[in-house]
Amino acid sequence: MDQTRLLDIFRTALLSRRFEERIVRLAMAGEIPGTLHAGAGQEVCQVAAISALDSTDCILYGHRGVAYMLARGVSLSGILADMAGKEGATCRGKGGVMHVVDVDKGVLGESGTLGGGFVISVGVGMALKRRHPGRVVTYFFGDGTSNRGTFHESLNWAALQKLPCVYVCENNGWAVSVPTSSSTAVPDISARAAGYGVPGVVVDGNDPAAVYEVMQHALERARSGQGPSLIEAKLTRLQGHFVGDQQTYRADAEQALERDPLPRLERGLRDAGVLDAAKLAELEADIERQIEAAVETVKAAPLLAPEVALQDLYAEG
Ligand SMILES: Cc1ncc(C[n+]2csc(CCOP(=O)(O)OP(=O)(O)O)c2C)c(N)n1
């Protein structure tokens, strides 16, 4: 894989990691309400998958972290303002980090009712097929979410209609405190694709080049009218389900940290000669500058007026 693209993936994944760390510090200091489901360990996969998309493609993202939005170029201050309920928020503070929407960048949001995104993706796929042939919608979801009924009805319809949809299951082995083996009858969720006559593939979610490659195949298939694909990326949730989760149910919490793909990608880039200590320090400093600028912007922004809560909920007329 092109080393420049890999370096870009590393940069965005690192930005996401540092931004989430800052969000947690802000939340702990009481400066923003709520926190997030940290994406640590899954950012490399999310960014690699999105880097295979065209700028006119769409995503519906999962609840795990902010990397999806950053990979599509949504601003740090827009995301943070959504969390803080401040002016400048992409979705006018309607639902914090889980409801960041930037239609111009193809970021169509998330359904807080997990699995709702499957049926929405089918609707988006039908619209794209009719109005914008060649464009694709990608939906990211977790292994637990794949047990919703919406998964099955959506895959069936998307397959029948040959919709331009790509389904990316981030299988981190857990749904809150429930291991996948206790909730799911098959070891590989991708095996379910066969039931709908679509390709299903397992990929190492810690390997950005592999993720990029399977995405390219799926996107090509979707763009050329052959219909959906199901990609299952096996990866690791490095932290708890939510910030503050003590993970008392998880025996491998410590060992999981060793499976962090970010240092692995960093080593690969160093070996390839495209990254060194000085460049990394520069990158970290630039990331810190970007994050602090966003924090300052959002701190200075006025709170959204209370009536905004009731606006933009329904289509007019
Ligand atoms: C329909 C629905 N059921 C339950 C929840 C509560 N919930 C939020 S995240 C989550 C776990 C989902 O697990 P998974 O899909 O594997 O994603 P992960 O959290 O591991 O990234 C649950 C049960 C929800 N938001 N929506």
Side-chain angles (χ1 to χ4, degrees):
M1 189 189 194
D2 176 11
Q3 292 297 326
T4 316
R5 187 181 292 275
L6 273 180
L7 185 59
D8 277 347
I9 293 170
F10 177 72
R11 189 182 286 120
T12 307
L14 188 64
L15 173 65
S16 174
R17 181 77 59 95
R18 297 289 177 257
F19 188 37
E20 289 190 6
E21 289 164 358
R22 188 69 175 97
I23 288 171
V24 171
R25 291 206 302 280
L26 286 168
M28 294 305 166
E31 300 198 41
I32 50 172
T35 52
L36 78 168
H37 301 95
Q42 302 187 200
E43 318 96 324
V44 167
C45 173
Q46 296 162 353
V47 177
I50 289 172
S51 75
L53 305 182
D54 284 350
S55 59
T56 53
D57 292 331
C58 305
I59 64 162
L60 290 154
Y61 54 84
H63 57 280
R64 200 149 284 293
V66 297
Y68 312 100
M69 307 136 197
L70 297 178
R72 291 299 287 190
V74 179
S75 71
L76 296 164
S77 60
I79 297 169
L80 202 52
D82 264 312
M83 297 191 76
K86 294 280 189 88
E87 287 290 350
T90 70
C91 208
R92 308 199 81 200
K94 286 291 184 295
V97 73
M98 291 205 284
H99 298 287
V100 169
V101 174
D102 192 331
V103 176
D104 290 340
K105 294 190 166 71
V107 177
L108 304 186
E110 185 208 332
S111 168
T113 305
L114 296 183
F118 287 116
V119 278
I120 297 170
S121 73
V122 164
V124 175
M126 290 172 77
L128 291 179
K129 186 176 169 182
R130 281 182 202 179
R131 296 190 195 162
H132 306 286
R135 287 165 63 173
V136 179
V137 57
T138 298
Y139 175 44
F140 295 86
F141 57 97
D143 45 283
T145 307
S146 76
N147 290 325
R148 289 290 317 281
T150 50
F151 169 95
H152 302 279
E153 58 197 78
S154 300
L155 250 84
N156 178 58
W157 191 248
L160 184 73
Q161 297 291 319
K162 297 198 184 315
L163 299 182
C165 303
V166 175
Y167 295 98
V168 180
C169 177
E170 295 172 57
N171 186 348
N172 60 21
W174 293 96
V176 192
S177 54
V178 180
T180 313
S181 55
S182 302
S183 67
T184 306
V186 284
D188 293 329
I189 286 153
S190 59
R192 292 175 173 170
Y196 306 103
V198 305
V201 61
V202 172
V203 66
D204 175 2
N206 292 328
D207 180 346
V211 171
Y212 184 81
E213 194 185 333
V214 294
M215 276 298 291
Q216 275 190 315
H217 287 299
L219 289 165
E220 222 171 274
R221 194 180 136 81
R223 286 193 212 294
S224 60
Q226 297 175 73
S229 303
L230 174 61
I231 294 169
E232 177 183 6
K234 307 264 194 196
L235 35 65
T236 305
R237 190 188 83 191
L238 292 183
Q239 301 172 7
H241 173 64
F242 54 86
V243 176
D245 175 4
Q246 297 301 308
Q247 300 197 88
T248 48
Y249 52 83
R250 189 173 178 185
D252 79 331
E254 286 287 316
Q255 294 92 312
L257 298 175
E258 290 160 21
R259 297 201 292 274
D260 187 349
L262 209 50
R264 175 172 138 182
L265 180 53
E266 183 195 318
R267 276 195 301 278
L269 291 166
R270 280 176 188 258
D271 292 346
V274 291
L275 190 66
D276 57 23
K279 267 194 189 165
L280 183 62
E282 212 176 287
L283 191 58
E284 290 273 17
D286 180 52
I287 284 174
E288 196 181 330
R289 266 194 302 274
Q290 287 183 53
I291 293 172
E292 292 315 314
V295 170
E296 286 317 308
T297 302
V298 174
K299 276 187 182 172
L303 278 167
L304 286 156
E307 56 268 26
V308 169
L310 301 177
Q311 293 169 359
D312 307 317
L313 299 179
Y314 301 101
E316 300 285 329

